[in-house]
Amino acid sequence: MIQVREDKTGILFWITVKPRSKKNGVIIAHDDTIIVQVTAAPVEGKANEACCKVLAQVLGISKSSISIRTGETSTKKLVHCRNIFAEEVRLRLDSKK
């Protein structure tokens, strides 16, 4: 099961970002790791911005509802989402398996 937790301000979950991918998208690995593929290079925050945009599309929420809590310069990031419930996140990400 995809690990998603709630806190007072929203939903938190870990992702792995693959910059310079051939296409943008989300895949779920066999160990339930959330992998966000972005075509952007990891330069000047471009990959982070693209990552938030891709997640917003997949989760059906606005890009402004998504932020990166930790891991700005790493491929492993803790993502924070507002305006969505944990179960909705799980369902929408599970559809990417």
Side-chain angles (χ1 to χ4, degrees):
M1 177 188 277
I2 295 172
Q3 296 298 313
V4 178
R5 62 186 163 116
E6 293 185 45
D7 73 359
K8 296 176 190 172
T9 61
I11 305 302
L12 295 163
F13 55 92
W14 287 95
I15 64 168
T16 299
V17 178
K18 300 286 184 184
R20 292 188 177 118
S21 294
K22 291 184 180 186
K23 62 180 183 173
N24 291 326
V26 174
I27 58 174
I28 308 299
H30 67 280
D31 63 353
D32 286 336
T33 300
I34 303 164
I35 301 169
V36 181
Q37 299 172 313
V38 295
T39 57
V43 178
E44 298 176 2
K46 299 279 186 203
N48 288 340
E49 187 176 321
C51 176
C52 290
K53 184 176 180 180
V54 168
L55 283 172
Q57 290 171 342
V58 168
L59 297 176
I61 58 177
S62 68
K63 191 174 131 189
S64 63
S65 295
I66 298 176
S67 62
I68 297 172
R69 279 278 172 94
T70 61
E72 294 258 338
T73 59
S74 173
T75 57
K76 187 126 172 111
K77 301 177 187 305
L78 180 62
V79 175
H80 178 262
C81 299
R82 294 178 290 118
N83 305 323
I84 192 167
F85 295 107
E87 192 55 36
E88 287 179 83
V89 171
R90 281 189 199 98
L91 286 172
R92 291 176 186 178
L93 291 176
D94 272 340
S95 71
K96 299 298 176 182
K97 285 186 176 180

